[in-house]
């Protein structure tokens, strides 16, 4: 009797590995955005890499391909109020948990960029330092997180003009710091970050009397 050949794996039987990454931990203003992506092995996407290694045009071209070809993807936006309440690390971990929980189908494993894992996740997870450059699913998540946050910061630039959010995306560039000194903080500035806190409570940063 001939031994039957093994069946090719189907989408239902393949491990659903989600990559998770964030954008916006370092800025002085705006949300932190977390994305989770389960790539489809049968629909590879050329050019996926760490979003920081890609220029804006490359990211803009890849983001719709990732959304169209992935088995699942989700984006979680954690606003400034929650960052203030939880601190930036806590807010980022909360966003990771939300992004993973929103995936359908649910992942069987999550690969999370960095060295910290949220406490409550819907699946087993492993942290991967530098994962956005070494794991395609994390690279895909980094692209969705970055392009989503950049678009949000352009929208916020129209709501809070004068700071240049569309250009620097809230990062502490010389232009942003100069605008912050000139205009003072706006509602999306992170009060817990030192350059903003210094303007709100200058006495805390004054030089001690000698």
């Amino acid at each position: 009797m001939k031994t039957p050949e093994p069946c090719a794996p189907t989408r239902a039987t393949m491990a659903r590995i989600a990559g998770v990454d964030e954008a916006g931990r370092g800025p002085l203003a705006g949300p932190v955005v977390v994305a989770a992506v389960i790539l489809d092995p049968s629909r590879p996407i050329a050019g996926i890499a760490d979003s920081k290694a890609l220029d804006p045009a490359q990211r803009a071209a890849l983001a719709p391909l990732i959304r169209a070809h992935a088995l699942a993807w989700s984006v979680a936006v954690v606003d400034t109020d929650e960052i203030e309440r939880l601190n930036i690390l806590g807010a980022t971990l909360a966003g990771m948990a939300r992004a993973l929980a929103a995936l359908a189908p649910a992942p069987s494993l999550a690969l999370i960029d960095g060295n910290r894992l949220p406490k409550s996740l819907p699946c087993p997870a492993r942290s991967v330092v530098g994962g956005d450059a070494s794991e395609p699913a994390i690279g895909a998540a980094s692209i969705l997180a970055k392009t989503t946050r950049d678009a949000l910061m352009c929208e916020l630039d129209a709501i809070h003009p004068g700071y240049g959010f569309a250009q620097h995306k809230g990062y502490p560039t010389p232009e942003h710091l100069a605008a912050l000194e000139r205009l003072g903080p706006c509602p999306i500035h992170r009060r817990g970050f030192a350059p903003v806190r210094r303007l709100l409570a200058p006495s805390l940063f004054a030089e001690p009397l000698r």
Side-chain angles (χ1 to χ4, degrees), residues 16-43:
R16 295 187 296 270
I17 299 175
V20 182
D21 201 6
E22 52 75 27
R25 283 186 66 174
L28 304 179
V32 62
V33 176
V34 181
V37 177
I38 303 175
L39 291 175
D40 184 346
S42 69
R43 304 181 76 186

Side-chain angles (χ1 to χ4, degrees), residues 15 20 31-32 41 70 78 92 105 155 206-207:
V20 182
V32 62
V78 185
T92 302
E155 293 175 11
E207 288 291 330

Side-chain angles (χ1 to χ4, degrees), residues 11 17 21 28 34 44-45 51 53 69 71 87 92 109 115 120 135 138 145 167 182 184 197:
R11 289 190 181 187
I17 299 175
D21 201 6
L28 304 179
V34 181
I45 303 168
S51 64
H69 293 174
L71 286 177
N87 73 47
T92 302
L109 173 68
N115 59 4
S120 179
E135 295 287 346
I138 298 179
Q167 286 72 47
R182 184 175 70 253
R197 192 167 70 248

Side-chain angles (χ1 to χ4, degrees), residues 17-25 31-39 51 63 66-67 70 72-78 91-103 107 109-114 118 121 132 135-149 152:
I17 299 175
V20 182
D21 201 6
E22 52 75 27
R25 283 186 66 174
V32 62
V33 176
V34 181
V37 177
I38 303 175
L39 291 175
S51 64
I66 293 166
R67 292 187 179 96
W73 64 271
S74 70
V75 173
V77 178
V78 185
T92 302
L93 295 176
M96 289 175 174
R98 277 180 218 154
L100 282 169
L103 290 174
L109 173 68
L111 301 178
I112 297 178
D113 187 59
L121 289 175
D132 44 9
E135 295 287 346
I138 298 179
S142 77
I143 292 167
L144 292 193
K146 174 65 174 168
T147 53
T148 299
R149 188 178 188 280
L152 286 173

Side-chain angles (χ1 to χ4, degrees), residues 28-207:
L28 304 179
V32 62
V33 176
V34 181
V37 177
I38 303 175
L39 291 175
D40 184 346
S42 69
R43 304 181 76 186
I45 303 168
I48 288 179
D50 174 8
S51 64
K52 295 185 291 296
L54 303 171
D55 62 36
Q58 290 172 315
R59 293 193 294 265
L62 284 166
L65 293 177
I66 293 166
R67 292 187 179 96
H69 293 174
L71 286 177
W73 64 271
S74 70
V75 173
V77 178
V78 185
D79 64 19
T80 306
D81 288 342
E82 192 164 4
I83 293 170
E84 297 292 285
R85 192 169 69 252
L86 299 179
N87 73 47
I88 187 60
L89 175 60
T92 302
L93 295 176
M96 289 175 174
R98 277 180 218 154
L100 282 169
L103 290 174
S108 55
L109 173 68
L111 301 178
I112 297 178
D113 187 59
N115 59 4
R116 300 291 292 271
L117 294 176
K119 290 182 180 178
S120 179
L121 289 175
C123 65
R126 188 169 79 243
S127 61
V128 184
V129 175
D132 44 9
S134 62
E135 295 287 346
I138 298 179
S142 77
I143 292 167
L144 292 193
K146 174 65 174 168
T147 53
T148 299
R149 188 178 188 280
D150 283 358
L152 286 173
M153 293 307 295
C154 289
E155 293 175 11
L156 289 167
D157 182 67
I159 298 170
H160 305 286
Y163 294 95
F165 291 135
Q167 286 72 47
H168 53 64
K169 308 301 188 291
Y171 283 88
T173 63
E175 294 77 14
H176 186 190
L177 293 174
L180 192 55
E181 289 281 351
R182 184 175 70 253
L183 301 172
C186 77
I188 67 166
H189 277 104
R190 301 172 182 178
R191 267 64 179 164
F193 281 46
V196 182
R197 192 167 70 248
R198 184 179 293 111
L199 290 174
L200 295 171
S203 62
L204 296 179
F205 294 86
E207 288 291 330

